[in-house]
């Protein structure tokens, strides 16, 4: 690599770390949104039950 091996492999490592970080952040955000939506759905279901029993 003509003396540039450290730069080339370092660039690959940094790129891989950025891609892995993005994947982790996206999966974390997805879990957070699923929890929020399930809480909203539970609230809607409880309101519907309360309306039908009244």
């Amino acid at each position: 690599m003509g003396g540039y091996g450290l730069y080339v492999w370092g660039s690959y490592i940094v790129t891989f770390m950025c891609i892995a970080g993005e994947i982790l952040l996206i999966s974390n955000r997805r879990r957070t949104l699923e929890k929020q939506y399930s809480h909203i759905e539970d609230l809607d279901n409880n309101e519907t039950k309360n309306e039908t029993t009244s």
Side-chain angles (χ1 to χ4, degrees), residues 39-52:
H39 289 302
I40 291 170
E41 187 175 304
D42 290 342
L43 289 174
D44 287 343
N45 288 339
N46 287 338
E47 288 178 2
T48 304
K49 287 179 185 177
N50 289 340
E51 288 176 1
T52 58

Side-chain angles (χ1 to χ4, degrees), residues 13-54:
I13 291 170
V14 169
T15 301
F16 175 75
M17 288 173 51
C18 289
I19 291 171
E22 281 293 321
I23 291 170
L24 291 173
L25 289 171
I26 289 170
S27 65
N28 186 23
R29 180 66 178 155
R30 180 179 177 186
R31 275 187 257 122
T32 302
L33 287 173
E34 285 176 348
K35 286 180 186 178
Q36 287 177 349
Y37 287 143
S38 69
H39 289 302
I40 291 170
E41 187 175 304
D42 290 342
L43 289 174
D44 287 343
N45 288 339
N46 287 338
E47 288 178 2
T48 304
K49 287 179 185 177
N50 289 340
E51 288 176 1
T52 58
T53 58
S54 297

